[in-house]
Amino acid sequence: MSVSLDVMDLQGSKVGTVDLPDAWFSGEVNVPVMHQVVTAQLAAARQGTHKTKTRAEVAGGGAKPFRQKGTGRARQGSIRSPQWVGGGVAHGRTPSNWAQRVNKKVKRAALRSALTDRANLGAVTVVRDLAFEAPKTRDAVAALGALGHGDVRRVLVVLADLHQPTFRSFRNLPTVHTLTVDQLNTYDVLRSDVVVFDEAALELIGTGRRSSTPTADETETVERSEASTQTTEVAK
């Protein structure tokens, strides 16, 4: 069943209606799948570069600090043992790769569930021509206020293309996270209270492309054209 929404402009006026894509906004909300994908995303974001040295890696400590008997102290074999200041760390942290493998179908199912959940909650807004002429934060604040999202704690803005003035307009707002449609992911959707879509971005969901990114067919056509041009020049 299609979900129909009003299309707004930056002044908060209704300028039309749009049917949200059934493939992304009319699915079943699968919580376990979303949990799996979000866990994998957060795990992949971990750097894993932490490192501590063991007693075999710290410098020095080749000889016993004092003789075995007769000192009245506990016997010691090396000043690089874990109990010594400057010694190695016992069971310390080492570099790790926390990435988890998630199938492409599972990722798509999770994103579908997240978008459907937001649509069911009425937390999806569609804006026509979501772009600013110049990077001005006050224009972004005014637009969010006109759309009724001025007091929302977390807003996700999804653009159809990498439009620098618009990105810079939202950049200084701590409650707004902006990304292009090819970067849309489950974690950012679930973390947001409201998702604001540029109308042109709806048809690009799940394609891995932005509006300025050429399709595979277009890329192949350009490559063939360039190859034909090079062949002609060589022939001349």
PDB file of all heavy atoms in Angstrom, residues 21-49:
ATOM      1  N   PRO A  21       8.099   5.522  -2.475  1.00  0.00           N
ATOM      2  CA  PRO A  21       8.358   4.237  -3.142  1.00  0.00           C
ATOM      3  C   PRO A  21       7.978   3.058  -2.245  1.00  0.00           C
ATOM      4  O   PRO A  21       8.431   2.960  -1.097  1.00  0.00           O
ATOM      5  CB  PRO A  21       9.867   4.269  -3.397  1.00  0.00           C
ATOM      6  CG  PRO A  21      10.233   5.716  -3.385  1.00  0.00           C
ATOM      7  CD  PRO A  21       9.315   6.363  -2.402  1.00  0.00           C
ATOM      8  N   ASP A  22       7.119   2.178  -2.776  1.00  0.00           N
ATOM      9  CA  ASP A  22       6.678   1.024  -1.999  1.00  0.00           C
ATOM     10  C   ASP A  22       7.844   0.135  -1.590  1.00  0.00           C
ATOM     11  O   ASP A  22       7.813  -0.499  -0.529  1.00  0.00           O
ATOM     12  CB  ASP A  22       5.672   0.199  -2.816  1.00  0.00           C
ATOM     13  CG  ASP A  22       4.350   0.938  -2.997  1.00  0.00           C
ATOM     14  OD1 ASP A  22       4.090   1.859  -2.196  1.00  0.00           O
ATOM     15  OD2 ASP A  22       3.596   0.599  -3.922  1.00  0.00           O
ATOM     16  N   ALA A  23       8.867   0.076  -2.421  1.00  0.00           N
ATOM     17  CA  ALA A  23       9.992  -0.815  -2.138  1.00  0.00           C
ATOM     18  C   ALA A  23      10.742  -0.421  -0.876  1.00  0.00           C
ATOM     19  O   ALA A  23      11.441  -1.251  -0.286  1.00  0.00           O
ATOM     20  CB  ALA A  23      10.951  -0.837  -3.326  1.00  0.00           C
ATOM     21  N   TRP A  24      10.585   0.832  -0.439  1.00  0.00           N
ATOM     22  CA  TRP A  24      11.351   1.314   0.707  1.00  0.00           C
ATOM     23  C   TRP A  24      10.492   1.804   1.863  1.00  0.00           C
ATOM     24  O   TRP A  24      10.991   1.949   2.992  1.00  0.00           O
ATOM     25  CB  TRP A  24      12.289   2.441   0.271  1.00  0.00           C
ATOM     26  CG  TRP A  24      13.306   1.984  -0.709  1.00  0.00           C
ATOM     27  CD1 TRP A  24      13.320   2.192  -2.048  1.00  0.00           C
ATOM     28  CD2 TRP A  24      14.467   1.185  -0.422  1.00  0.00           C
ATOM     29  NE1 TRP A  24      14.407   1.595  -2.618  1.00  0.00           N
ATOM     30  CE2 TRP A  24      15.125   0.969  -1.639  1.00  0.00           C
ATOM     31  CE3 TRP A  24      14.998   0.648   0.749  1.00  0.00           C
ATOM     32  CZ2 TRP A  24      16.297   0.227  -1.727  1.00  0.00           C
ATOM     33  CZ3 TRP A  24      16.166  -0.078   0.672  1.00  0.00           C
ATOM     34  CH2 TRP A  24      16.809  -0.282  -0.558  1.00  0.00           C
ATOM     35  N   PHE A  25       9.233   2.070   1.635  1.00  0.00           N
ATOM     36  CA  PHE A  25       8.399   2.655   2.687  1.00  0.00           C
ATOM     37  C   PHE A  25       7.151   1.837   3.004  1.00  0.00           C
ATOM     38  O   PHE A  25       6.306   2.287   3.770  1.00  0.00           O
ATOM     39  CB  PHE A  25       7.979   4.074   2.285  1.00  0.00           C
ATOM     40  CG  PHE A  25       9.113   5.051   2.237  1.00  0.00           C
ATOM     41  CD1 PHE A  25       9.825   5.251   1.061  1.00  0.00           C
ATOM     42  CD2 PHE A  25       9.479   5.767   3.362  1.00  0.00           C
ATOM     43  CE1 PHE A  25      10.874   6.162   1.007  1.00  0.00           C
ATOM     44  CE2 PHE A  25      10.528   6.675   3.322  1.00  0.00           C
ATOM     45  CZ  PHE A  25      11.224   6.867   2.138  1.00  0.00           C
ATOM     46  N   SER A  26       7.021   0.667   2.421  1.00  0.00           N
ATOM     47  CA  SER A  26       5.825  -0.139   2.672  1.00  0.00           C
ATOM     48  C   SER A  26       6.171  -1.572   3.051  1.00  0.00           C
ATOM     49  O   SER A  26       5.410  -2.499   2.801  1.00  0.00           O
ATOM     50  CB  SER A  26       4.919  -0.143   1.423  1.00  0.00           C
ATOM     51  OG  SER A  26       4.481   1.161   1.127  1.00  0.00           O
ATOM     52  N   GLY A  27       7.335  -1.768   3.632  1.00  0.00           N
ATOM     53  CA  GLY A  27       7.743  -3.108   4.013  1.00  0.00           C
ATOM     54  C   GLY A  27       7.363  -3.447   5.438  1.00  0.00           C
ATOM     55  O   GLY A  27       6.646  -2.702   6.126  1.00  0.00           O
ATOM     56  N   GLU A  28       7.852  -4.570   5.900  1.00  0.00           N
ATOM     57  CA  GLU A  28       7.626  -5.003   7.276  1.00  0.00           C
ATOM     58  C   GLU A  28       8.787  -4.504   8.139  1.00  0.00           C
ATOM     59  O   GLU A  28       9.950  -4.563   7.746  1.00  0.00           O
ATOM     60  CB  GLU A  28       7.557  -6.530   7.343  1.00  0.00           C
ATOM     61  CG  GLU A  28       7.372  -7.073   8.750  1.00  0.00           C
ATOM     62  CD  GLU A  28       7.402  -8.586   8.778  1.00  0.00           C
ATOM     63  OE1 GLU A  28       7.463  -9.192   7.688  1.00  0.00           O
ATOM     64  OE2 GLU A  28       7.376  -9.155   9.890  1.00  0.00           O
ATOM     65  N   VAL A  29       8.458  -3.993   9.312  1.00  0.00           N
ATOM     66  CA  VAL A  29       9.483  -3.498  10.225  1.00  0.00           C
ATOM     67  C   VAL A  29      10.110  -4.686  10.951  1.00  0.00           C
ATOM     68  O   VAL A  29       9.489  -5.295  11.824  1.00  0.00           O
ATOM     69  CB  VAL A  29       8.904  -2.496  11.236  1.00  0.00           C
ATOM     70  CG1 VAL A  29       9.987  -2.016  12.202  1.00  0.00           C
ATOM     71  CG2 VAL A  29       8.264  -1.317  10.506  1.00  0.00           C
ATOM     72  N   ASN A  30      11.322  -5.033  10.557  1.00  0.00           N
ATOM     73  CA  ASN A  30      12.030  -6.186  11.111  1.00  0.00           C
ATOM     74  C   ASN A  30      13.095  -5.682  12.095  1.00  0.00           C
ATOM     75  O   ASN A  30      14.178  -5.266  11.704  1.00  0.00           O
ATOM     76  CB  ASN A  30      12.683  -6.990   9.974  1.00  0.00           C
ATOM     77  CG  ASN A  30      13.177  -8.344  10.432  1.00  0.00           C
ATOM     78  OD1 ASN A  30      13.616  -8.500  11.564  1.00  0.00           O
ATOM     79  ND2 ASN A  30      13.131  -9.329   9.547  1.00  0.00           N
ATOM     80  N   VAL A  31      12.766  -5.723  13.369  1.00  0.00           N
ATOM     81  CA  VAL A  31      13.664  -5.187  14.397  1.00  0.00           C
ATOM     82  C   VAL A  31      14.972  -5.973  14.494  1.00  0.00           C
ATOM     83  O   VAL A  31      16.056  -5.377  14.587  1.00  0.00           O
ATOM     84  CB  VAL A  31      12.953  -5.127  15.759  1.00  0.00           C
ATOM     85  CG1 VAL A  31      13.912  -4.658  16.858  1.00  0.00           C
ATOM     86  CG2 VAL A  31      11.753  -4.188  15.683  1.00  0.00           C
ATOM     87  N   PRO A  32      14.962  -7.323  14.508  1.00  0.00           N
ATOM     88  CA  PRO A  32      16.240  -8.051  14.589  1.00  0.00           C
ATOM     89  C   PRO A  32      17.203  -7.734  13.449  1.00  0.00           C
ATOM     90  O   PRO A  32      18.414  -7.637  13.662  1.00  0.00           O
ATOM     91  CB  PRO A  32      15.809  -9.528  14.564  1.00  0.00           C
ATOM     92  CG  PRO A  32      14.418  -9.519  15.104  1.00  0.00           C
ATOM     93  CD  PRO A  32      13.810  -8.243  14.589  1.00  0.00           C
ATOM     94  N   VAL A  33      16.677  -7.560  12.251  1.00  0.00           N
ATOM     95  CA  VAL A  33      17.540  -7.232  11.113  1.00  0.00           C
ATOM     96  C   VAL A  33      18.146  -5.849  11.292  1.00  0.00           C
ATOM     97  O   VAL A  33      19.340  -5.635  11.036  1.00  0.00           O
ATOM     98  CB  VAL A  33      16.737  -7.321   9.798  1.00  0.00           C
ATOM     99  CG1 VAL A  33      17.524  -6.696   8.652  1.00  0.00           C
ATOM    100  CG2 VAL A  33      16.427  -8.769   9.462  1.00  0.00           C
ATOM    101  N   MET A  34      17.344  -4.887  11.738  1.00  0.00           N
ATOM    102  CA  MET A  34      17.875  -3.541  11.972  1.00  0.00           C
ATOM    103  C   MET A  34      18.948  -3.571  13.060  1.00  0.00           C
ATOM    104  O   MET A  34      19.979  -2.897  12.950  1.00  0.00           O
ATOM    105  CB  MET A  34      16.739  -2.590  12.365  1.00  0.00           C
ATOM    106  CG  MET A  34      15.782  -2.266  11.234  1.00  0.00           C
ATOM    107  SD  MET A  34      14.642  -0.919  11.627  1.00  0.00           S
ATOM    108  CE  MET A  34      13.640  -1.671  12.923  1.00  0.00           C
ATOM    109  N   HIS A  35      18.714  -4.355  14.097  1.00  0.00           N
ATOM    110  CA  HIS A  35      19.698  -4.460  15.181  1.00  0.00           C
ATOM    111  C   HIS A  35      21.013  -5.038  14.664  1.00  0.00           C
ATOM    112  O   HIS A  35      22.107  -4.555  15.017  1.00  0.00           O
ATOM    113  CB  HIS A  35      19.142  -5.339  16.300  1.00  0.00           C
ATOM    114  CG  HIS A  35      20.100  -5.548  17.431  1.00  0.00           C
ATOM    115  ND1 HIS A  35      21.005  -6.597  17.460  1.00  0.00           N
ATOM    116  CD2 HIS A  35      20.324  -4.839  18.557  1.00  0.00           C
ATOM    117  CE1 HIS A  35      21.728  -6.527  18.565  1.00  0.00           C
ATOM    118  NE2 HIS A  35      21.331  -5.469  19.242  1.00  0.00           N
ATOM    119  N   GLN A  36      20.932  -6.048  13.816  1.00  0.00           N
ATOM    120  CA  GLN A  36      22.142  -6.669  13.268  1.00  0.00           C
ATOM    121  C   GLN A  36      22.936  -5.674  12.435  1.00  0.00           C
ATOM    122  O   GLN A  36      24.163  -5.577  12.566  1.00  0.00           O
ATOM    123  CB  GLN A  36      21.767  -7.879  12.417  1.00  0.00           C
ATOM    124  CG  GLN A  36      22.965  -8.564  11.765  1.00  0.00           C
ATOM    125  CD  GLN A  36      22.563  -9.707  10.842  1.00  0.00           C
ATOM    126  OE1 GLN A  36      21.381 -10.067  10.779  1.00  0.00           O
ATOM    127  NE2 GLN A  36      23.515 -10.257  10.133  1.00  0.00           N
ATOM    128  N   VAL A  37      22.258  -4.927  11.596  1.00  0.00           N
ATOM    129  CA  VAL A  37      22.951  -3.988  10.706  1.00  0.00           C
ATOM    130  C   VAL A  37      23.532  -2.816  11.490  1.00  0.00           C
ATOM    131  O   VAL A  37      24.670  -2.391  11.240  1.00  0.00           O
ATOM    132  CB  VAL A  37      21.991  -3.497   9.608  1.00  0.00           C
ATOM    133  CG1 VAL A  37      22.634  -2.372   8.800  1.00  0.00           C
ATOM    134  CG2 VAL A  37      21.615  -4.653   8.685  1.00  0.00           C
ATOM    135  N   VAL A  38      22.786  -2.285  12.445  1.00  0.00           N
ATOM    136  CA  VAL A  38      23.290  -1.165  13.241  1.00  0.00           C
ATOM    137  C   VAL A  38      24.504  -1.604  14.062  1.00  0.00           C
ATOM    138  O   VAL A  38      25.505  -0.883  14.171  1.00  0.00           O
ATOM    139  CB  VAL A  38      22.188  -0.608  14.157  1.00  0.00           C
ATOM    140  CG1 VAL A  38      22.781   0.371  15.167  1.00  0.00           C
ATOM    141  CG2 VAL A  38      21.122   0.085  13.329  1.00  0.00           C
ATOM    142  N   THR A  39      24.439  -2.807  14.633  1.00  0.00           N
ATOM    143  CA  THR A  39      25.579  -3.326  15.386  1.00  0.00           C
ATOM    144  C   THR A  39      26.803  -3.454  14.489  1.00  0.00           C
ATOM    145  O   THR A  39      27.923  -3.103  14.887  1.00  0.00           O
ATOM    146  CB  THR A  39      25.236  -4.695  15.992  1.00  0.00           C
ATOM    147  OG1 THR A  39      24.104  -4.556  16.864  1.00  0.00           O
ATOM    148  CG2 THR A  39      26.404  -5.244  16.793  1.00  0.00           C
ATOM    149  N   ALA A  40      26.607  -3.920  13.263  1.00  0.00           N
ATOM    150  CA  ALA A  40      27.725  -4.051  12.324  1.00  0.00           C
ATOM    151  C   ALA A  40      28.281  -2.685  11.929  1.00  0.00           C
ATOM    152  O   ALA A  40      29.500  -2.515  11.796  1.00  0.00           O
ATOM    153  CB  ALA A  40      27.269  -4.816  11.087  1.00  0.00           C
ATOM    154  N   GLN A  41      27.400  -1.702  11.741  1.00  0.00           N
ATOM    155  CA  GLN A  41      27.863  -0.357  11.395  1.00  0.00           C
ATOM    156  C   GLN A  41      28.715   0.246  12.508  1.00  0.00           C
ATOM    157  O   GLN A  41      29.781   0.817  12.260  1.00  0.00           O
ATOM    158  CB  GLN A  41      26.669   0.559  11.121  1.00  0.00           C
ATOM    159  CG  GLN A  41      26.074   0.414   9.732  1.00  0.00           C
ATOM    160  CD  GLN A  41      25.042   1.486   9.451  1.00  0.00           C
ATOM    161  OE1 GLN A  41      23.847   1.211   9.352  1.00  0.00           O
ATOM    162  NE2 GLN A  41      25.484   2.710   9.324  1.00  0.00           N
ATOM    163  N   LEU A  42      28.253   0.121  13.737  1.00  0.00           N
ATOM    164  CA  LEU A  42      28.997   0.677  14.853  1.00  0.00           C
ATOM    165  C   LEU A  42      30.315  -0.067  15.065  1.00  0.00           C
ATOM    166  O   LEU A  42      31.328   0.532  15.441  1.00  0.00           O
ATOM    167  CB  LEU A  42      28.141   0.617  16.122  1.00  0.00           C
ATOM    168  CG  LEU A  42      26.867   1.476  16.101  1.00  0.00           C
ATOM    169  CD1 LEU A  42      26.094   1.298  17.400  1.00  0.00           C
ATOM    170  CD2 LEU A  42      27.197   2.936  15.877  1.00  0.00           C
ATOM    171  N   ALA A  43      30.295  -1.376  14.822  1.00  0.00           N
ATOM    172  CA  ALA A  43      31.532  -2.147  14.963  1.00  0.00           C
ATOM    173  C   ALA A  43      32.549  -1.744  13.901  1.00  0.00           C
ATOM    174  O   ALA A  43      33.748  -1.637  14.174  1.00  0.00           O
ATOM    175  CB  ALA A  43      31.227  -3.645  14.871  1.00  0.00           C
ATOM    176  N   ALA A  44      32.072  -1.515  12.684  1.00  0.00           N
ATOM    177  CA  ALA A  44      32.980  -1.130  11.601  1.00  0.00           C
ATOM    178  C   ALA A  44      33.565   0.268  11.822  1.00  0.00           C
ATOM    179  O   ALA A  44      34.626   0.595  11.288  1.00  0.00           O
ATOM    180  CB  ALA A  44      32.246  -1.175  10.262  1.00  0.00           C
ATOM    181  N   ALA A  45      32.880   1.090  12.599  1.00  0.00           N
ATOM    182  CA  ALA A  45      33.371   2.444  12.863  1.00  0.00           C
ATOM    183  C   ALA A  45      34.484   2.470  13.897  1.00  0.00           C
ATOM    184  O   ALA A  45      35.144   3.495  14.065  1.00  0.00           O
ATOM    185  CB  ALA A  45      32.221   3.334  13.335  1.00  0.00           C
ATOM    186  N   ARG A  46      34.704   1.374  14.590  1.00  0.00           N
ATOM    187  CA  ARG A  46      35.769   1.322  15.590  1.00  0.00           C
ATOM    188  C   ARG A  46      37.126   1.266  14.888  1.00  0.00           C
ATOM    189  O   ARG A  46      37.333   0.473  13.958  1.00  0.00           O
ATOM    190  CB  ARG A  46      35.598   0.099  16.497  1.00  0.00           C
ATOM    191  CG  ARG A  46      34.307   0.098  17.275  1.00  0.00           C
ATOM    192  CD  ARG A  46      34.164  -1.141  18.135  1.00  0.00           C
ATOM    193  NE  ARG A  46      35.165  -1.191  19.198  1.00  0.00           N
ATOM    194  CZ  ARG A  46      35.191  -2.130  20.141  1.00  0.00           C
ATOM    195  NH1 ARG A  46      34.260  -3.085  20.145  1.00  0.00           N
ATOM    196  NH2 ARG A  46      36.118  -2.116  21.066  1.00  0.00           N
ATOM    197  N   GLN A  47      38.059   2.075  15.330  1.00  0.00           N
ATOM    198  CA  GLN A  47      39.358   2.140  14.667  1.00  0.00           C
ATOM    199  C   GLN A  47      40.168   0.873  14.891  1.00  0.00           C
ATOM    200  O   GLN A  47      40.849   0.392  13.992  1.00  0.00           O
ATOM    201  CB  GLN A  47      40.141   3.348  15.179  1.00  0.00           C
ATOM    202  CG  GLN A  47      39.604   4.676  14.685  1.00  0.00           C
ATOM    203  CD  GLN A  47      40.480   5.830  15.112  1.00  0.00           C
ATOM    204  OE1 GLN A  47      41.154   5.765  16.127  1.00  0.00           O
ATOM    205  NE2 GLN A  47      40.472   6.889  14.335  1.00  0.00           N
ATOM    206  N   GLY A  48      40.153   0.352  16.103  1.00  0.00           N
ATOM    207  CA  GLY A  48      40.916  -0.860  16.385  1.00  0.00           C
ATOM    208  C   GLY A  48      42.410  -0.662  16.384  1.00  0.00           C
ATOM    209  O   GLY A  48      43.172  -1.607  16.163  1.00  0.00           O
ATOM    210  N   THR A  49      42.875   0.577  16.610  1.00  0.00           N
ATOM    211  CA  THR A  49      44.322   0.862  16.560  1.00  0.00           C
ATOM    212  C   THR A  49      44.959   0.889  17.946  1.00  0.00           C
ATOM    213  O   THR A  49      46.125   1.270  18.073  1.00  0.00           O
ATOM    214  CB  THR A  49      44.565   2.212  15.874  1.00  0.00           C
ATOM    215  OG1 THR A  49      43.819   3.237  16.558  1.00  0.00           O
ATOM    216  CG2 THR A  49      44.117   2.163  14.423  1.00  0.00           C
TER     217      THR A  49
END
